[in-house]
Amino acid sequence: MLKMLKMAVLVSGGGTNLQAILDAIREGRITNASVEVAISNNPGAYALKRAENCGVKAVCVSPASYKDRELYNEALVQTIQSYQVDLVVLAGCMVVMPKAMIEAYPNRIINIHPALIPSFCGTGFHGLHVHEEVLKRGVKVTGATVHFVDEGTDTGPIILQKAVDVQPDDTPETLQRRVMEQAEWQILPRAIDLIANGKVSVEQSKVVIKE
Ligand code: GAR
C-alpha cells in the first residue's frame, strides 16, 4: 500500500496551475495525493483565494515581513516543514528556492516552467517574459516542462514535457494562455499523479517513468 502523498503548493500569482491540481484531485486524475497547504510570497495572490475556495489552507509568507532574506528563507522552510509534506510543488512560484529547501527535500520539489527546457529558461526567465522571448526569437514550437528542482535555476531532472505550436499572430498573452491550456495544466497534474503512485525515480540524474 502506497502512503498518501502530502503536498505543499507554492504560488505567487493567479494560481491557475494550483487550480489544475485541485481540479485533477477532485476529478480523480490525481490519486493518492492531497494538497495540505498553499503558500504564497505575495499577500495579494489570487491563488490564495483559489485555495480557500477549495477548502485548502492558504498561508502567506512574505519577504516584506522579515528583516533580511536569510530570515525569510528560514521562515519559508519552517512553514513548509510544519505541514509534514512529502512533495513541494512550485506552481507559478517566483521565489528562488533557498539552499536549505533543496537540502531538506532532495528530488522532492517539482517546478512547472512555461517553455521546453533547456530553451528559454534560467535566471530571469519567468512568467510572461518567457513568451516574449519565444516570440522575439521566432521559434515555431514551444511548450512546458515539469522538472525536479536542484541548486541551479531550471537545471534539475526533467519529468515531463509537452510541445505547443507558436502561431504567426500570437502575442505573449495568447501564447501564454495556449501553453497553459495545452501543456501546463495537463503535465503538472500528470507528473504529480505519477509521483504519488510511485512511478517516478531519478537514476543518474535522469528521470525514469514506469507506467
Ligand atoms: C505559469 O505559466 C508558470 O509556468 C510560470 O508562471 C505562470 C504562473 O501562472 N512559472 C514560471 O515562470 C516559473 N519560472 P499561475 O499562477 O496561473 O499558475
Side-chain angles (χ1 to χ4, degrees):
M1 250 300 264
L2 273 168
K3 183 173 154 281
M4 172 87 101
L5 186 84
K6 289 188 187 178
M7 299 182 283
V9 181
L10 271 56
V11 293
S12 296
T16 64
N17 279 287
L18 169 66
Q19 191 70 58
I21 295 167
L22 295 171
D23 291 349
I25 291 174
R26 197 189 57 236
E27 292 163 12
R29 285 179 287 115
I30 294 175
T31 58
N32 209 31
S34 65
V35 178
E36 299 296 305
V37 63
I39 302 173
S40 174
N41 57 307
N42 163 17
Y46 186 64
L48 290 173
K49 268 261 139 33
R50 290 183 188 272
E52 279 166 7
N53 290 344
C54 292
V56 168
K57 184 140 181 68
V59 172
C60 176
V61 184
S62 164
S65 311
Y66 298 88
K67 221 173 65 212
D68 57 33
R69 200 70 191 181
E70 197 72 5
L71 289 172
Y72 163 72
N73 286 345
E74 245 169 58
L76 180 64
V77 175
Q78 275 171 16
T79 303
I80 293 170
Q81 283 178 333
S82 73
Y83 287 92
Q84 302 192 313
V85 296
D86 310 297
L87 185 71
V88 177
V89 180
L90 309 185
C93 172
M94 300 304 166
V95 174
V96 176
M97 282 303 104
K99 198 162 176 270
M101 271 286 296
I102 315 286
E103 282 165 2
Y105 295 95
N107 286 339
R108 290 275 127 197
I109 307 172
I110 65 171
N111 178 48
I112 178 83
H113 182 75
L116 293 174
I117 290 174
S119 288
F120 304 103
C121 67
T123 307
F125 283 91
H126 50 73
L128 200 61
H129 179 62
V130 173
H131 306 291
E132 286 165 0
E133 291 299 314
V134 162
L135 292 178
K136 229 188 260 171
R137 184 62 186 84
V139 296
K140 305 302 180 206
V141 177
T142 183
T145 303
V146 184
H147 64 93
F148 284 112
V149 175
D150 64 9
E151 307 78 31
T153 306
D154 301 329
T155 53
I158 291 169
I159 306 168
L160 293 176
Q161 295 188 295
K162 191 158 187 285
V164 174
D165 285 340
V166 178
Q167 303 295 347
D169 57 351
D170 265 330
T171 63
E173 289 79 10
T174 61
L175 184 57
Q176 179 180 51
R177 182 74 193 181
R178 188 170 333 100
V179 167
M180 283 177 158
E181 278 174 4
Q182 295 185 3
E184 297 185 40
W185 301 342
Q186 297 181 23
I187 63 174
L188 184 58
R190 179 82 190 121
I192 291 169
D193 184 59
L194 289 167
I195 292 169
N197 288 287
K199 292 182 176 158
V200 175
S201 58
V202 180
E203 294 169 23
Q204 282 147 12
S205 304
K206 292 199 184 97
V207 167
V208 178
I209 297 176
K210 305 169 206 87
E211 298 256 15

